[in-house]
Amino acid sequence: MENHKKFSPIEYNKLQGKQKEIYNFHKLSSLLANYGFNCIKLSDDWNGADFLAYHKDHGETLRVQLKSRLTIDKKYKDKEIYIAFPNTNRDGNRDWYLISHDKLLQLIENEFPYTKSVSWIDKGIYYPAKISKKMENLIEPYCVGREYNQTLKTFTL
């Protein structure tokens, strides 16, 4: 008799840090595939990147730093790094963003006081706990897609 295994949906909040990073990499990679990108996870932060996103037509390879939320960091400035991050919207779905770190920093410096914060001045990093509606509107052109909050069921192999 064959031994069947049941697989149940995971609870994201119960994942450990590295598991969340891998989970987020695959969620974002699936969205970027819709635009012709092949994503390659790196085992270390090579030149500041968690993964590479290579476009099938343009031959362009983006070095992407994957974050759990919008983040600016002085160590990424002038390094041609892209920042990818999710933002949970009001209906519980997560919108994913991909934006050049320097472009994000420019938008923030023009519209928000984040670079005047103690965190930015003392530590060189800032990540707001929540994104304002104004910020959502500013970064909307950099939204690559929505991860829908779908009901998954257990399946058997």
Side-chain angles (χ1 to χ4, degrees), residues 60-71:
E60 184 171 5
T61 300
L62 307 178
R63 289 183 295 131
V64 182
Q65 179 61 222
L66 183 60
K67 296 296 185 185
S68 60
R69 63 178 117 174
L70 181 150
T71 302

Side-chain angles (χ1 to χ4, degrees), residues 17-146:
K18 193 67 175 171
Q19 292 171 323
K20 286 181 179 180
E21 183 179 329
I22 292 167
Y23 175 92
N24 286 334
F25 166 74
H26 287 291
K27 288 292 190 175
L28 179 57
S29 295
S30 71
L31 291 172
L32 290 173
N34 294 320
Y35 299 96
F37 283 96
N38 177 22
C39 296
I40 303 160
K41 180 82 174 95
L42 301 172
S43 59
D44 60 352
D45 274 11
W46 178 73
N47 287 330
D50 288 321
F51 71 92
L52 303 176
Y54 175 78
H55 194 271
K56 71 175 198 67
D57 294 330
H58 300 290
E60 184 171 5
T61 300
L62 307 178
R63 289 183 295 131
V64 182
Q65 179 61 222
L66 183 60
K67 296 296 185 185
S68 60
R69 63 178 117 174
L70 181 150
T71 302
I72 53 173
D73 194 319
K74 287 181 182 177
K75 71 181 178 183
Y76 303 132
K77 190 173 180 187
D78 300 322
K79 299 277 171 86
E80 297 184 16
I81 294 287
Y82 285 77
I83 302 294
F85 59 92
N87 180 49
T88 303
N89 58 30
R90 288 166 185 78
D91 60 7
N93 296 311
R94 292 196 318 167
D95 292 328
W96 279 94
Y97 296 88
L98 178 65
I99 183 171
S100 157
H101 176 270
D102 292 345
K103 179 64 177 177
L104 178 60
L105 184 57
Q106 178 188 15
L107 289 172
I108 286 171
E109 287 177 328
N110 290 340
E111 298 289 335
F112 298 92
Y114 300 164
T115 55
K116 293 174 181 48
S117 71
V118 172
S119 174
W120 179 259
I121 293 166
D122 290 350
K123 298 176 186 169
I125 189 169
Y126 187 83
Y127 40 89
K130 196 157 178 69
I131 295 178
S132 68
K133 189 67 177 159
K134 181 178 179 182
M135 177 60 83
E136 280 183 5
N137 290 337
L138 271 177
I139 62 174
E140 193 277 327
Y142 307 97
C143 182
V144 296
R146 176 165 289 172

